[in-house]
Amino acid sequence: MSLGGGGGGGGQMQQLQEQMQALEQEKQAIRAEIQNLRNEQSEIDEAIEAIETLDTGSTVQVPIGGDAYVRAEIQDIDEVIVTLGGGYAAERDSDGAIDSLGDKQDALDDRIEELQDEIQTVEEETANLEAKAQQAQQQQMQQLQQQMQQQEDE
């Protein structure tokens, strides 16, 4: 005696579980991107603080790659080169550099907010899938109970 007819719901459950797992991976990727953006914001904060506190003639540690640094003397703190995006950079005075970095901070804030909205959307999709999975599981249980009842009646 086979309990036929219950296989369709199992496939649906597996599909829903796979979709929920994909959404969870998407959330993790978004959270990782948010963390990277926050790290970038921290680096910008450090750059702003350095521009505000360093003076011409100050000695600083300059990274040269491979986790190696050299000591260097700042020749002119009023000549700061900041990247503008798209591979472009410009020389700014210290106030202009701080303004440019502040604009980058604002853009990062906007992107983080967009990503947090994406997480909210993914969480809503996950909740919908969980509700569908629960409903499919209940239907499977009802079908199984009906099949068992029919077998008892035979």
Side-chain angles (χ1 to χ4, degrees):
M1 282 199 283
S2 169
L3 297 178
Q12 181 184 10
M13 284 294 292
Q14 183 175 351
Q15 184 180 17
L16 290 170
Q17 287 174 343
E18 288 171 1
Q19 289 173 340
M20 286 188 290
Q21 186 175 18
L23 289 172
E24 184 60 35
Q25 290 172 347
E26 185 177 346
K27 278 195 310 189
Q28 289 175 1
I30 294 170
R31 286 187 179 119
E33 186 174 349
I34 289 172
Q35 186 58 49
N36 288 337
L37 294 173
R38 288 190 174 139
N39 291 343
E40 190 173 340
Q41 284 182 318
S42 293
E43 290 175 11
I44 291 172
D45 287 338
E46 290 173 12
I48 290 171
E49 183 180 347
I51 293 169
E52 291 175 337
T53 59
L54 291 173
D55 294 318
T56 298
S58 296
T59 301
V60 294
Q61 299 286 333
V62 179
I64 58 172
D67 288 332
Y69 298 82
V70 295
R71 285 192 181 93
E73 183 178 305
I74 297 174
Q75 291 182 352
D76 187 355
I77 193 63
D78 285 325
E79 293 178 7
V80 180
I81 298 173
V82 292
T83 59
L84 303 174
Y88 294 97
E91 185 175 306
R92 305 267 194 223
D93 64 14
S94 56
D95 290 338
I98 290 170
D99 289 344
S100 292
L101 293 170
D103 291 344
K104 283 184 180 183
Q105 288 277 32
D106 293 342
L108 292 172
D109 284 337
D110 292 344
R111 181 64 183 138
I112 288 171
E113 192 173 311
E114 289 171 7
L115 290 170
Q116 288 172 333
D117 289 345
E118 283 183 38
I119 287 177
Q120 182 64 35
T121 300
V122 170
E123 287 175 346
E124 290 169 5
E125 290 177 33
T126 301
N128 289 338
L129 288 175
E130 287 173 349
K132 286 181 183 179
Q134 191 172 29
Q135 185 179 18
Q137 188 175 22
Q138 288 173 349
Q139 288 174 347
Q140 273 185 312
M141 291 300 292
Q142 289 173 350
Q143 288 174 354
L144 184 59
Q145 288 174 349
Q146 288 173 355
Q147 289 172 357
M148 291 175 68
Q149 185 64 38
Q150 287 173 354
Q151 288 176 354
E152 288 177 9
D153 292 343
E154 292 178 1

